[in-house]
Amino acid sequence: METAEIVRRFLAFFEDNGHTVVPSASLVADDPTLLFVPAGMVPFKPYFLGQRTPPYDRATSVQKCIRTIDIEEVGKTSRHATFFQMLGNFSFGDYFKERAIPLAWELITKPVAEGGFGIDVDRLWVTVYLDDDEAAAIWRDVVGVAPERIQRMGVEENYWSMGVPGPCGPCSEIFYDRGPAYGAEGGPIADEDRYVEIWNLVFMQYERGEGGAKKDYPILGDLPKQNIDTGMGLERLAAVLQGVDNIYETDTLGRILQETAARTGVVYGADERSDVMLRVVADHVRSAVMLVSDGVRPGNEKGGYVLRRILRRSIRNLRLLSGGESSFLHDLTDTAIKAMAGIYPDLHRGAERIHEVIDTEEKNFADTLRSGTALFNRAAERTKSAGGAGISGADAFQLHDTYGFPIDLTLEMAAEQGLQVDEAEFRSLMQVQRDTAKRDAKAKKLGNADIGVYARLLEGSGSTDFLGYTDHEGEARVLGLIVDGASATAARAGQQVEIVLDRTPFYAESGGQLADTGTLTVEGRGSIDVEDVQKPIPGLFVHRGTVTEGEIVVDDTVAAAIDSDRRAAVSRAHSATHLIHSALRNALGPATGQAGSENQPGRLRFDFTANKALDTAELAEVEEEVNTVLAGDIPVRYFETSLDEALSMGALAMFGEKYGDRVRVVEMSDYSRELCGGTHVGATGQLGVVKLLGESSIGSGVRRVEAAVGIDAFRRLSKESLLVGRLSEQLKTPSEELPQRIDSIVSRLRTAEKEIERLRGAQVLQAAEGLAKSAREVGGTLLVSHTAPEGTGADDVRKLALDVRGRLGEDRPVAVVVASVPKDRPVVVVAANKAAQQRGLRAGDLVGVAAGALGGGGGGKPDVAQGGGTDPGALDAALRAVAQRVADAQ
């Protein structure tokens, strides 16, 4: 039975039994505590926690899931996978054990001809929690399972909680016996390799308190409503129904694995090491396809890091399998799309975009892998020659920071050579980098309140009606206040407050458009400056600001008014973003897609996917095209329709964005048509003018254009015109000839700078002969100490030290130390001949002494080394310190 048919049967069975079929949520979790959805119940978590009222009593779904905690085990076992799918049925206070258990048994054992899975009852075993006599009795007396096939297990195996205070309860699991060839008899207690768990039924009936994640917590009492949460791994069930040994041989993963084997010329089953690599590639390619289809892009943080990590593991394993460079990833991506499209038809529609993202990452990593591998090999060779057992954290960090090597890849490569990696040092360096990088936007998006506070407000008051498409002001009622992260009944002058209204003209930041600002006024009693508006959970507008006078109280009626001039400027920027998107697609091709944006008053940035930079001519063409559309004063139309209808009209959807059944379309004739919830102008002529300010790379395969719009664009153009006029006047050159004139001046200037550097270097080297003659004997070593003229560059200092050392020959020990201050920071170079090295005077050690006196550090080879510091006034002290070390080496 193919995987797609398993899905169809499962959903049809539970729909026939009164369950609402709920589509899979995105892999990217809505829950701010999670990166990805790791289990089938996660989208229903607010219902189980009582944060929201479920719109149905019974539900069933096939949920896409990602888990990366065991990524190193992927391919080594028959169970671990990064991406997997959970078949589930859920009851929210409707039925409980008495219904959940028989339903599960019926579907599993019902003949295939009657719509079931037709598994032989003699192959099935069940487990229950130690003291769950109720579940055991249902299995035995209602379902008819033989008592000897019902086994009891403890907290670790058969008790569930979320790991935090909230719902908990016993579990009951169904196991499939694979037969004597796979292990010992005796049921799941005896051998879980032979007896494979295929379905877990969770009975949420108690409320737990604070304590450990799995155990050692108190049971506070019964839940007001008993709930059912079940999960059956689709891949495991497919392996059972298709009669294969493991999930990698099923019809979906198996197609990718066999294609990988064929492309690399490796026979699956011939060698365990290559089998593991084939399974890793199959799992990771499928996982990458599903992540990209849900809008994740390779990056160095959060979900982007996970995607980059699995893609790069795939690429490296492909190279190891093929014995060199490979370019198979595109074909394997295509195989994965076709293998999964039977369950997720949208993969076909997004195939071009998926290929673009994955192909770009493969291309970029090819260069990274070559450069990074060479650096790793040098570090490994250095470690081994020094008799060490580990790669330093600094080397691992450089691999990550400079070459994009995930630490996991460095760990794998080190393990292959019998080396370890100083992970503690690596993590420390990573933390320093994070601390100096831009701060996370979490405080802005979620404020100081717990997500539960917002959920309770939404549950109690309902969603906020947005009036802002038509109105810039209006009356509203205060539904809730949050002060210092907690619900409050009032807020007074000077306090920062979050306000939830029943209706609002304020746009909440989303879709790249910044939030509105404005005021809320309680007549005769108080006013609030609104500085930001966010939607921490869907449907709830939270106005953040400061009470400037008086007070505001829950149930107050307020006059809400936005800053209309600011809104107009932001709307112009947002409309310009749509036009730039269309112009870029016309210039670069339809595969060019939006990867992010920000629309603020008079300015915008637009991020897009592209494999190359736009040159000056292409950028000018995009700008001209956009402004030609503005001149046409095309009306901007907005309307709502179904998602399918919008897509059939050619409306562009933001890649990876989540849309409901009804969507809003923003249309500018046939030139631009996009799904968008933002605010826009009434006609393109209202934008005035759009001026592109530049284009740059912001990541692998993602580029950014920035632009000024309207009066801001005019001011920019006015300043540029004034600047061009002044240059033309000063250089006595017509404006159209300025580029050539400036190029000529810059060229002459560079030539003059090079000549000055040459003359300065020659002057410095002229001192070599005199310095060699000035060598003094210190403890049997000829020592030359010299401070070069201020401004002498490090290269010239190095050349001078080597020249002097060469003039003194190899007959006697020679050490030369030359220092200078090229750019406010001192530099020192030490050169030592072989005779000096034999006496223990190594250049790297001596430069460390000098650099220490300068307040810095340095290093190098035994014959020549360079260092520096921060204290230019310590040059004499540095030279004296080296002389003392030479004297001590007698």
Side-chain angles (χ1 to χ4, degrees):
M1 187 180 297
E2 290 191 350
T3 300
E5 175 62 14
I6 296 173
V7 169
R8 190 197 66 76
R9 285 174 182 251
F10 182 87
L11 295 177
F13 175 81
F14 281 102
E15 186 174 26
D16 290 344
N17 280 279
H19 294 66
T20 298
V21 176
V22 179
S24 173
S26 169
L27 283 168
V28 181
D30 274 335
D31 188 330
T33 65
L34 297 171
L35 192 59
F36 297 121
V37 172
M41 62 79 63
V42 167
F44 303 103
K45 182 178 170 183
Y47 306 148
F48 288 130
L49 290 175
Q51 295 174 340
R52 299 186 204 172
T53 300
Y56 28 67
D57 293 330
R58 303 178 179 188
T60 184
S61 69
V62 180
Q63 175 60 44
K64 301 177 287 187
C65 302
I66 287 280
R67 287 183 193 168
T68 58
I69 190 170
D70 295 321
I71 195 168
E72 286 80 11
E73 298 304 311
V74 169
K76 298 177 183 177
T77 73
S78 63
R79 300 180 184 180
H80 290 95
T82 311
F83 170 84
F84 60 97
Q85 300 153 96
M86 291 299 292
L87 307 166
N89 60 287
F90 309 90
S91 167
F92 309 104
D94 183 20
Y95 61 81
F96 202 49
K97 299 176 188 178
E98 78 290 339
R99 186 65 177 138
I101 291 173
L103 280 173
W105 190 260
E106 179 184 352
L107 176 58
I108 285 180
T109 60
K110 181 188 286 188
V112 171
E114 298 176 17
F117 294 134
I119 297 178
D120 184 355
V121 296
D122 292 335
R123 292 267 196 166
L124 298 176
W125 292 64
V126 298
T127 63
V128 297
Y129 181 58
L130 289 173
D131 63 3
D132 192 356
D133 295 332
E134 181 185 5
I138 295 172
W139 282 117
R140 184 185 65 244
D141 302 333
V142 178
V143 175
V145 177
E148 62 272 16
R149 288 180 177 266
I150 304 173
Q151 298 184 329
R152 296 183 184 248
M153 290 188 174
V155 171
E156 292 292 334
E157 298 85 7
N158 275 66
Y159 206 89
W160 175 91
S161 83
M162 291 186 184
V164 295
C168 67
C171 304
S172 183
E173 298 177 327
I174 304 174
F175 289 79
Y176 176 81
D177 180 5
R178 298 202 294 169
Y182 292 90
E185 293 189 17
I189 288 178
D191 192 332
E192 286 198 20
D193 283 328
R194 170 174 171 174
Y195 300 89
V196 178
E197 175 210 329
I198 57 173
W199 205 338
N200 183 17
L201 295 87
V202 175
F203 309 126
M204 297 186 194
Q205 60 187 114
Y206 305 116
E207 182 178 1
R208 59 156 287 183
E210 294 282 357
K214 287 291 289 183
K215 54 184 179 180
D216 300 328
Y217 50 79
I219 301 297
L220 304 179
D222 294 339
L223 289 173
K225 289 185 177 181
Q226 296 176 327
N227 303 314
I228 288 294
D229 158 29
T230 81
M232 178 159 58
L234 176 56
E235 284 76 10
R236 286 195 192 182
L237 181 61
V240 168
L241 295 179
Q242 293 171 18
V244 295
D245 281 348
N246 59 65
I247 63 173
Y248 295 99
E249 297 171 11
T250 58
D251 59 323
T252 53
L253 275 172
R255 284 179 65 179
I256 310 169
L257 186 147
Q258 292 300 334
E259 182 69 14
T260 305
R263 293 280 178 178
T264 58
V266 175
V267 177
Y268 181 61
D271 175 74
E272 179 60 21
R273 182 171 178 271
S274 60
D275 284 356
V276 168
M277 288 190 283
L278 288 169
R279 291 193 286 261
V280 166
V281 171
D283 170 88
H284 285 7
V285 170
R286 183 176 74 151
S287 301
V289 164
M290 301 308 296
L291 283 169
V292 174
S293 74
D294 274 358
V296 182
R297 289 185 173 276
N300 293 326
E301 296 290 338
K302 300 182 180 179
Y305 174 76
V306 172
L307 176 57
R308 173 160 286 167
R309 177 184 178 190
I310 62 176
L311 277 173
R312 294 189 168 189
R313 288 187 93 218
S314 301
I315 295 165
R316 184 165 180 274
N317 277 282
L318 279 172
R319 288 171 174 245
L320 292 172
L321 285 165
S322 61
E325 293 192 15
S326 69
S327 55
F328 308 138
L329 196 56
H330 181 92
D331 296 324
L332 296 180
T333 298
D334 194 53
T335 301
I337 290 171
K338 292 175 180 175
M340 298 300 294
I343 307 173
Y344 306 103
D346 283 355
L347 290 175
H348 280 314
R349 191 173 68 211
E352 185 175 6
R353 192 75 60 85
I354 294 169
H355 276 302
E356 180 192 15
V357 172
I358 293 178
D359 289 351
T360 299
E361 183 66 11
E362 180 183 32
K363 177 180 178 295
N364 291 340
F365 189 49
D367 297 333
T368 291
L369 196 58
R370 281 191 292 271
S371 304
T373 299
L375 177 64
F376 173 85
N377 289 338
R378 287 196 296 272
E381 183 180 342
R382 190 165 60 246
T383 298
K384 290 178 179 179
S385 64
I391 303 293
S392 73
D395 283 336
F397 179 75
Q398 185 182 7
L399 280 164
H400 167 84
D401 195 46
T402 305
Y403 296 100
F405 264 44
I407 183 61
D408 314 88
L409 182 55
T410 303
L411 289 168
E412 285 184 17
M413 294 173 67
E416 289 169 2
Q417 297 201 29
L419 298 172
Q420 297 177 331
V421 176
D422 189 341
E423 285 191 77
E425 183 186 10
F426 170 81
R427 304 290 178 195
S428 176
L429 291 168
M430 284 293 294
Q431 191 59 49
V432 170
Q433 185 185 63
R434 290 191 187 100
D435 290 342
T436 56
K438 65 180 182 180
R439 299 300 175 188
D440 191 89
K442 181 178 179 182
K444 179 181 180 184
K445 301 300 181 187
L446 293 181
N448 297 316
D450 181 85
I451 193 72
V453 176
Y454 302 120
R456 285 189 290 275
L457 278 171
L458 182 65
E459 177 68 22
S461 306
S463 58
T464 307
D465 291 332
F466 177 57
L467 313 174
Y469 291 136
T470 56
D471 299 324
H472 286 192
E473 58 184 43
E475 284 194 348
R477 186 167 66 90
V478 177
L479 300 180
L481 299 173
I482 300 171
V483 177
D484 293 331
S487 292
T489 57
R492 294 171 178 80
Q495 286 187 304
Q496 291 187 324
V497 62
E498 299 182 18
I499 305 167
V500 176
L501 305 175
D502 64 338
R503 57 210 299 266
T504 183
F506 284 82
Y507 184 85
E509 180 179 342
S510 62
Q513 180 172 330
L514 296 188
D516 285 328
T517 60
T519 60
L520 300 177
T521 306
V522 184
E523 187 175 359
R525 189 151 52 80
S527 62
I528 301 94
D529 281 347
V530 177
E531 299 145 9
D532 186 28
V533 187
Q534 296 291 328
K535 288 193 285 188
I537 55 178
L540 195 75
F541 285 57
V542 177
H543 306 71
R544 297 195 174 120
T546 303
V547 181
T548 54
E549 61 177 295
E551 68 173 357
I552 184 169
V553 178
V554 172
D555 283 332
D556 271 345
T557 296
V558 299
I562 68 170
D563 181 337
S564 294
D565 289 341
R566 184 178 185 279
R567 160 73 79 79
V570 172
S571 297
R572 286 193 291 269
H574 201 158
S575 297
T577 298
H578 284 218
L579 295 174
I580 290 172
H581 188 186
S582 291
L584 286 168
R585 285 169 59 85
N586 291 340
L588 301 177
T592 301
Q594 183 172 347
S597 65
E598 182 178 86
N599 305 297
Q600 53 181 290
R603 289 178 67 90
L604 66 89
R605 64 168 174 78
F606 181 77
D607 302 336
F608 60 99
T609 57
N611 293 329
K612 70 177 187 69
L614 274 76
D615 59 33
T616 304
E618 289 172 321
L619 210 57
E621 288 176 7
V622 168
E623 184 177 82
E624 182 176 349
E625 182 175 316
V626 169
N627 283 284
T628 299
V629 174
L630 303 192
D633 199 24
I634 297 172
V636 179
R637 191 167 75 99
Y638 331 92
F639 58 91
E640 283 195 1
T641 185
S642 69
L643 177 60
D644 290 340
E645 177 65 20
L647 295 176
S648 69
M649 295 168 58
L652 297 178
M654 176 68 175
F655 191 45
E657 190 69 35
K658 302 165 190 173
Y659 296 101
D661 293 333
R662 301 289 295 177
V663 295
R664 183 170 184 263
V665 179
V666 176
E667 180 182 79
M668 303 174 190
S669 185
D670 289 331
Y671 185 76
S672 171
R673 188 176 291 114
E674 296 191 28
L675 305 186
C676 180
T679 63
H680 291 268
V681 298
T684 60
Q686 294 174 15
L687 271 62
V689 65
V690 173
K691 174 61 181 174
L692 297 186
L693 305 178
E695 188 262 10
S696 60
S697 171
I698 61 168
S700 175
V702 181
R703 303 195 67 81
R704 170 175 293 172
V705 291
E706 297 185 67
V709 184
I711 191 65
D712 291 84
F714 170 79
R715 289 169 180 155
R716 176 79 180 215
L717 290 169
S718 178
K719 287 181 181 179
E720 289 182 358
S721 177
L722 182 61
L723 176 62
V724 168
R726 287 178 177 174
L727 284 173
S728 181
E729 182 180 347
Q730 289 179 358
L731 298 177
K732 309 298 182 185
T733 304
S735 59
E736 63 271 16
E737 297 177 12
L738 277 177
Q740 297 90 331
R741 175 73 167 137
I742 292 172
D743 284 346
S744 174
I745 292 172
V746 171
S747 178
R748 292 202 306 271
L749 179 61
R750 287 174 178 166
T751 300
E753 287 176 341
K754 289 179 181 178
E755 180 62 17
I756 291 170
E757 285 297 317
R758 188 188 67 78
L759 293 173
R760 180 182 291 159
Q763 183 179 14
V764 169
L765 291 176
Q766 285 176 1
E769 183 177 356
L771 288 175
K773 291 179 179 179
S774 71
R776 57 196 174 96
E777 185 173 321
V778 177
T781 298
L782 289 178
L783 175 65
V784 175
S785 299
H786 176 64
T787 301
E790 186 172 346
T792 304
D795 286 345
D796 289 334
V797 170
R798 188 182 186 91
K799 290 176 183 176
L800 179 59
L802 292 173
D803 192 342
V804 173
R805 185 190 66 181
R807 292 173 184 270
L808 294 173
E810 293 289 342
D811 295 337
R812 299 181 60 185
V814 172
V816 180
V817 53
V818 182
S820 179
V821 184
K823 293 181 180 178
D824 298 326
R825 296 178 66 89
V827 63
V828 60
V829 173
V830 176
N833 67 4
K834 289 184 179 179
Q837 294 169 43
Q838 291 170 357
R839 294 196 65 186
L841 295 172
R842 297 179 179 84
D845 298 334
L846 295 176
V847 87
V849 172
L854 294 170
K861 297 179 180 179
D863 62 330
V864 62
Q866 180 175 318
T870 58
D871 185 3
L875 286 180
D876 289 342
L879 298 180
R880 287 196 300 271
V882 174
Q884 185 60 52
R885 175 61 63 88
V886 172
D888 293 342
Q890 296 182 52

